[in-house]
Amino acid sequence: MKLNHVVESQQFTVPMLMDIFKLADEMEPVMARGGTRDYSNKIVALLFYEHSTRTRFSFESAVMRLGGKVLVTENANQFSSFMHGESLEDTVRVVGNYSDIIVIRHNEMGGAAHAAKVSPVPVINAGDGKGGQHPTQALLDFYTIHREIKTIDGVKVAMVGNLAEGRTVRSLAYLLGKFERVKLYFVAPTHLQMKGDIIEYLNHHKVWFTIEEDLRNVINEVDVVYMTRLESTEREGRTDSSFFIDRELLRFLPNRAIVMHPLPRQNEISSEVDSDPRAAYFRQTRNGILVRMALLVSIFDGCCWPRAD
Ligand code: CP
């Protein structure tokens, strides 16, 4: 099976993940010497219909480190022929003639999948709509856990915040569900809890999970606290302390554990946590470059894996 479109986390097999992470490790010295493995003949188009800092810049940086070139439209809703009523499908058919890979962030769930159906070149989903997926973020999150906790089998992860609409936690839950004895703690207000599709997937794969409403109930037993934003409107009238971490709560987090966040954060992690060695969220952003370089190389090189059962 050749790595072509990257649309959702479920498509990755465990051997694929391990190979991509090995390649990500190999990108460390490449990055340290300023780049390249000479992909100077490659062009990657970044088609972003929604705002982004990390995903867009890290993909741009990853392509440039590999010697390639980028075509970028930020805010494609305003600065592309979308303004003249051009469909996503037509835009992708055209941009695919100008590039070797299209990285797309779309405001609608399923946007990347629609693009992949018609694209003449591989499409990478850089986030699709509220409650969609963000598979490359999940890969870098997973790589961070793999590097810092050393093992994935048996890892205990608390996911905190808006789990219903958070595409990063949704994609990460799908990836973690592929490993043995993983334990997932979903910490959210009832109406923002994980949706049925993830719950069904985890039940089907016999993954242990629990539903919680307060981080304080579980923080002392997990290896990873993965914080995400609650929508600001959801904050009104509620006590944020159930979904908030500060220095006081950190006292209960095991020493071997880490705090992650896909960023940007609002105020769910106090800035006083930043100096604690367990705060991994800025290391996460750096890992994003390595993983995205590895993913691009895997696609450029036409890497193949055995088909999933
Ligand atoms: N983590 C993430 O997707 O960040 P951006 O929205 O800045 O790309």
Short mmCIF file of all heavy atoms in Angstrom, two decimals, residues 183-217:
data_model
loop_
_atom_site.label_atom_id
_atom_site.label_comp_id
_atom_site.label_asym_id
_atom_site.label_seq_id
_atom_site.Cartn_x
_atom_site.Cartn_y
_atom_site.Cartn_z
N LYS A 183 -5.19 3.41 27.82
CA LYS A 183 -6.35 3.85 28.60
C LYS A 183 -6.62 5.33 28.29
O LYS A 183 -5.69 6.15 28.40
CB LYS A 183 -6.10 3.68 30.09
CG LYS A 183 -6.10 2.22 30.52
CD LYS A 183 -6.07 2.13 32.04
CE LYS A 183 -6.38 0.69 32.47
NZ LYS A 183 -6.43 0.56 33.93
N LEU A 184 -7.85 5.65 27.92
CA LEU A 184 -8.20 7.03 27.56
C LEU A 184 -9.22 7.58 28.55
O LEU A 184 -10.22 6.91 28.86
CB LEU A 184 -8.79 7.06 26.14
CG LEU A 184 -7.87 6.52 25.03
CD1 LEU A 184 -8.58 6.52 23.69
CD2 LEU A 184 -6.59 7.34 24.95
N TYR A 185 -8.95 8.78 29.04
CA TYR A 185 -9.83 9.44 30.00
C TYR A 185 -10.38 10.69 29.30
O TYR A 185 -9.63 11.62 29.03
CB TYR A 185 -9.05 9.87 31.25
CG TYR A 185 -8.33 8.74 31.97
CD1 TYR A 185 -7.22 8.12 31.41
CD2 TYR A 185 -8.76 8.33 33.22
CE1 TYR A 185 -6.56 7.10 32.07
CE2 TYR A 185 -8.11 7.30 33.90
CZ TYR A 185 -7.01 6.69 33.31
OH TYR A 185 -6.35 5.69 33.97
N PHE A 186 -11.67 10.69 28.97
CA PHE A 186 -12.27 11.82 28.26
C PHE A 186 -12.88 12.77 29.28
O PHE A 186 -13.90 12.47 29.91
CB PHE A 186 -13.34 11.32 27.28
CG PHE A 186 -12.78 10.42 26.19
CD1 PHE A 186 -13.46 9.29 25.78
CD2 PHE A 186 -11.58 10.73 25.57
CE1 PHE A 186 -12.95 8.47 24.78
CE2 PHE A 186 -11.06 9.92 24.56
CZ PHE A 186 -11.75 8.78 24.17
N VAL A 187 -12.25 13.95 29.43
CA VAL A 187 -12.65 14.90 30.47
C VAL A 187 -13.28 16.12 29.80
O VAL A 187 -12.57 16.94 29.19
CB VAL A 187 -11.43 15.32 31.32
CG1 VAL A 187 -11.89 16.21 32.49
CG2 VAL A 187 -10.66 14.12 31.82
N ALA A 188 -14.59 16.24 29.89
CA ALA A 188 -15.30 17.33 29.20
C ALA A 188 -16.67 17.51 29.82
O ALA A 188 -17.21 16.58 30.43
CB ALA A 188 -15.45 16.99 27.71
N PRO A 189 -17.27 18.71 29.63
CA PRO A 189 -18.68 18.86 30.00
C PRO A 189 -19.50 17.87 29.16
O PRO A 189 -19.12 17.56 28.03
CB PRO A 189 -19.02 20.30 29.60
CG PRO A 189 -17.73 20.95 29.26
CD PRO A 189 -16.71 19.92 29.02
N THR A 190 -20.62 17.42 29.67
CA THR A 190 -21.40 16.36 29.01
C THR A 190 -21.68 16.68 27.54
O THR A 190 -21.51 15.82 26.67
CB THR A 190 -22.74 16.18 29.74
OG1 THR A 190 -22.44 15.97 31.12
CG2 THR A 190 -23.52 14.98 29.22
N HIS A 191 -22.06 17.93 27.26
CA HIS A 191 -22.45 18.26 25.87
C HIS A 191 -21.25 18.42 24.95
O HIS A 191 -21.42 18.58 23.74
CB HIS A 191 -23.32 19.52 25.85
CG HIS A 191 -22.61 20.75 26.31
ND1 HIS A 191 -22.16 20.92 27.60
CD2 HIS A 191 -22.26 21.87 25.64
CE1 HIS A 191 -21.57 22.09 27.71
NE2 HIS A 191 -21.61 22.69 26.54
N LEU A 192 -20.03 18.38 25.49
CA LEU A 192 -18.84 18.47 24.64
C LEU A 192 -18.02 17.18 24.68
O LEU A 192 -16.84 17.16 24.34
CB LEU A 192 -17.96 19.66 25.09
CG LEU A 192 -18.59 21.04 24.95
CD1 LEU A 192 -17.64 22.12 25.45
CD2 LEU A 192 -18.96 21.32 23.49
N GLN A 193 -18.69 16.10 25.10
CA GLN A 193 -17.98 14.81 25.20
C GLN A 193 -17.71 14.21 23.82
O GLN A 193 -18.28 14.62 22.82
CB GLN A 193 -18.79 13.82 26.04
CG GLN A 193 -18.36 13.76 27.49
CD GLN A 193 -16.91 13.28 27.68
OE1 GLN A 193 -16.28 12.76 26.77
NE2 GLN A 193 -16.39 13.46 28.89
N MET A 194 -16.82 13.24 23.76
CA MET A 194 -16.49 12.52 22.53
C MET A 194 -17.76 12.02 21.85
O MET A 194 -18.68 11.54 22.53
CB MET A 194 -15.62 11.31 22.84
CG MET A 194 -14.15 11.58 22.84
SD MET A 194 -13.55 12.13 21.24
CE MET A 194 -11.80 12.32 21.65
N LYS A 195 -17.76 12.11 20.53
CA LYS A 195 -18.96 11.72 19.79
C LYS A 195 -19.00 10.21 19.56
O LYS A 195 -18.01 9.50 19.74
CB LYS A 195 -18.99 12.48 18.47
CG LYS A 195 -19.32 13.95 18.67
CD LYS A 195 -19.87 14.61 17.44
CE LYS A 195 -18.80 15.17 16.59
NZ LYS A 195 -19.10 16.13 15.60
N GLY A 196 -20.18 9.77 19.12
CA GLY A 196 -20.46 8.35 18.97
C GLY A 196 -19.53 7.61 18.03
O GLY A 196 -19.23 6.44 18.25
N ASP A 197 -19.03 8.28 16.97
CA ASP A 197 -18.18 7.57 16.01
C ASP A 197 -16.89 7.09 16.68
O ASP A 197 -16.44 5.96 16.46
CB ASP A 197 -17.89 8.43 14.77
CG ASP A 197 -17.24 9.77 15.11
OD1 ASP A 197 -17.34 10.23 16.26
OD2 ASP A 197 -16.62 10.37 14.20
N ILE A 198 -16.32 7.93 17.55
CA ILE A 198 -15.08 7.53 18.24
C ILE A 198 -15.40 6.44 19.27
O ILE A 198 -14.67 5.46 19.40
CB ILE A 198 -14.45 8.74 18.98
CG1 ILE A 198 -14.18 9.89 18.02
CG2 ILE A 198 -13.19 8.33 19.75
CD1 ILE A 198 -12.90 9.88 17.29
N ILE A 199 -16.48 6.63 20.00
CA ILE A 199 -16.87 5.66 21.04
C ILE A 199 -17.08 4.28 20.40
O ILE A 199 -16.60 3.26 20.90
CB ILE A 199 -18.15 6.14 21.77
CG1 ILE A 199 -17.91 7.50 22.45
CG2 ILE A 199 -18.64 5.09 22.77
CD1 ILE A 199 -16.84 7.53 23.51
N GLU A 200 -17.77 4.28 19.26
CA GLU A 200 -18.00 3.00 18.54
C GLU A 200 -16.70 2.36 18.13
O GLU A 200 -16.49 1.16 18.26
CB GLU A 200 -18.82 3.28 17.27
CG GLU A 200 -20.28 2.97 17.40
CD GLU A 200 -21.02 3.36 16.13
OE1 GLU A 200 -20.57 2.99 15.04
OE2 GLU A 200 -22.05 4.04 16.28
N TYR A 201 -15.78 3.19 17.59
CA TYR A 201 -14.48 2.69 17.13
C TYR A 201 -13.71 2.07 18.31
O TYR A 201 -13.15 0.99 18.21
CB TYR A 201 -13.69 3.86 16.52
CG TYR A 201 -12.28 3.52 16.08
CD1 TYR A 201 -12.03 3.04 14.80
CD2 TYR A 201 -11.19 3.70 16.94
CE1 TYR A 201 -10.73 2.73 14.39
CE2 TYR A 201 -9.90 3.41 16.53
CZ TYR A 201 -9.67 2.93 15.26
OH TYR A 201 -8.39 2.63 14.87
N LEU A 202 -13.71 2.77 19.45
CA LEU A 202 -12.97 2.28 20.61
C LEU A 202 -13.61 1.00 21.16
O LEU A 202 -12.90 0.06 21.53
CB LEU A 202 -12.90 3.36 21.69
CG LEU A 202 -12.16 4.65 21.28
CD1 LEU A 202 -12.25 5.68 22.40
CD2 LEU A 202 -10.70 4.36 20.94
N ASN A 203 -14.94 0.97 21.20
CA ASN A 203 -15.62 -0.26 21.65
C ASN A 203 -15.29 -1.42 20.72
O ASN A 203 -14.99 -2.53 21.17
CB ASN A 203 -17.13 -0.04 21.70
CG ASN A 203 -17.55 0.71 22.96
OD1 ASN A 203 -16.88 0.60 24.00
ND2 ASN A 203 -18.62 1.47 22.88
N HIS A 204 -15.34 -1.14 19.42
CA HIS A 204 -15.07 -2.18 18.43
C HIS A 204 -13.64 -2.75 18.61
O HIS A 204 -13.42 -3.94 18.46
CB HIS A 204 -15.25 -1.60 17.02
CG HIS A 204 -15.01 -2.59 15.93
ND1 HIS A 204 -15.90 -3.61 15.65
CD2 HIS A 204 -13.96 -2.75 15.06
CE1 HIS A 204 -15.42 -4.34 14.67
NE2 HIS A 204 -14.25 -3.86 14.29
N HIS A 205 -12.69 -1.87 18.92
CA HIS A 205 -11.29 -2.30 19.09
C HIS A 205 -10.95 -2.64 20.54
O HIS A 205 -9.78 -2.81 20.88
CB HIS A 205 -10.34 -1.23 18.53
CG HIS A 205 -10.39 -1.14 17.04
ND1 HIS A 205 -11.31 -0.36 16.37
CD2 HIS A 205 -9.67 -1.76 16.07
CE1 HIS A 205 -11.15 -0.48 15.07
NE2 HIS A 205 -10.17 -1.33 14.86
N LYS A 206 -11.98 -2.70 21.38
CA LYS A 206 -11.82 -3.08 22.78
C LYS A 206 -10.79 -2.20 23.52
O LYS A 206 -9.91 -2.69 24.25
CB LYS A 206 -11.44 -4.56 22.91
CG LYS A 206 -12.49 -5.50 22.31
CD LYS A 206 -12.19 -6.94 22.64
CE LYS A 206 -13.30 -7.90 22.28
NZ LYS A 206 -14.02 -7.67 21.04
N VAL A 207 -10.88 -0.90 23.28
CA VAL A 207 -9.99 0.05 23.95
C VAL A 207 -10.67 0.54 25.22
O VAL A 207 -11.85 0.93 25.19
CB VAL A 207 -9.66 1.25 23.03
CG1 VAL A 207 -8.72 2.23 23.73
CG2 VAL A 207 -9.06 0.76 21.72
N TRP A 208 -9.94 0.56 26.32
CA TRP A 208 -10.48 1.02 27.61
C TRP A 208 -10.61 2.54 27.58
O TRP A 208 -9.68 3.25 27.21
CB TRP A 208 -9.53 0.59 28.73
CG TRP A 208 -10.05 0.85 30.12
CD1 TRP A 208 -10.67 -0.03 30.93
CD2 TRP A 208 -9.96 2.10 30.86
NE1 TRP A 208 -10.98 0.56 32.13
CE2 TRP A 208 -10.57 1.86 32.12
CE3 TRP A 208 -9.46 3.36 30.59
CZ2 TRP A 208 -10.66 2.84 33.10
CZ3 TRP A 208 -9.56 4.36 31.57
CH2 TRP A 208 -10.16 4.09 32.80
N PHE A 209 -11.77 3.06 27.98
CA PHE A 209 -11.92 4.51 28.14
C PHE A 209 -12.93 4.81 29.24
O PHE A 209 -13.73 3.94 29.62
CB PHE A 209 -12.34 5.19 26.82
CG PHE A 209 -13.72 4.83 26.35
CD1 PHE A 209 -14.83 5.54 26.76
CD2 PHE A 209 -13.91 3.75 25.50
CE1 PHE A 209 -16.10 5.20 26.34
CE2 PHE A 209 -15.18 3.41 25.06
CZ PHE A 209 -16.28 4.13 25.48
N THR A 210 -12.86 6.02 29.76
CA THR A 210 -13.80 6.45 30.78
C THR A 210 -14.21 7.89 30.50
O THR A 210 -13.44 8.66 29.92
CB THR A 210 -13.21 6.29 32.20
OG1 THR A 210 -14.18 6.68 33.16
CG2 THR A 210 -11.96 7.13 32.40
N ILE A 211 -15.42 8.22 30.91
CA ILE A 211 -15.95 9.57 30.72
C ILE A 211 -15.87 10.29 32.07
O ILE A 211 -16.36 9.77 33.08
CB ILE A 211 -17.44 9.51 30.27
CG1 ILE A 211 -17.60 8.66 29.01
CG2 ILE A 211 -18.05 10.90 30.13
CD1 ILE A 211 -17.08 9.26 27.76
N GLU A 212 -15.25 11.48 32.08
CA GLU A 212 -15.06 12.22 33.33
C GLU A 212 -15.49 13.67 33.14
O GLU A 212 -15.52 14.17 32.01
CB GLU A 212 -13.58 12.20 33.75
CG GLU A 212 -13.03 10.83 34.04
CD GLU A 212 -13.49 10.27 35.38
OE1 GLU A 212 -13.98 11.05 36.22
OE2 GLU A 212 -13.37 9.05 35.58
N GLU A 213 -15.76 14.35 34.25
CA GLU A 213 -16.14 15.76 34.16
C GLU A 213 -15.19 16.67 34.92
O GLU A 213 -15.46 17.87 35.05
CB GLU A 213 -17.57 15.96 34.67
CG GLU A 213 -18.59 15.47 33.68
CD GLU A 213 -19.95 16.15 33.84
OE1 GLU A 213 -20.07 17.13 34.59
OE2 GLU A 213 -20.89 15.67 33.18
N ASP A 214 -14.08 16.12 35.43
CA ASP A 214 -13.16 16.97 36.19
C ASP A 214 -11.75 16.39 36.11
O ASP A 214 -11.52 15.25 36.53
CB ASP A 214 -13.63 17.05 37.65
CG ASP A 214 -12.95 18.18 38.40
OD1 ASP A 214 -11.77 18.47 38.09
OD2 ASP A 214 -13.59 18.75 39.29
N LEU A 215 -10.83 17.18 35.59
CA LEU A 215 -9.44 16.72 35.46
C LEU A 215 -8.85 16.32 36.81
O LEU A 215 -8.02 15.42 36.91
CB LEU A 215 -8.60 17.84 34.81
CG LEU A 215 -7.11 17.61 34.66
CD1 LEU A 215 -6.81 16.36 33.83
CD2 LEU A 215 -6.43 18.82 34.03
N ARG A 216 -9.30 16.98 37.86
CA ARG A 216 -8.74 16.71 39.20
C ARG A 216 -8.99 15.27 39.65
O ARG A 216 -8.27 14.74 40.48
CB ARG A 216 -9.33 17.70 40.23
CG ARG A 216 -8.79 19.11 40.02
CD ARG A 216 -9.54 20.12 40.82
NE ARG A 216 -10.92 20.25 40.38
CZ ARG A 216 -11.70 21.28 40.65
NH1 ARG A 216 -11.25 22.28 41.37
NH2 ARG A 216 -12.95 21.33 40.20
N ASN A 217 -10.01 14.63 39.06
CA ASN A 217 -10.32 13.24 39.44
C ASN A 217 -9.32 12.23 38.89
O ASN A 217 -9.26 11.10 39.37
CB ASN A 217 -11.71 12.83 38.94
CG ASN A 217 -12.80 13.61 39.64
OD1 ASN A 217 -12.57 14.17 40.71
ND2 ASN A 217 -13.97 13.65 39.04
#
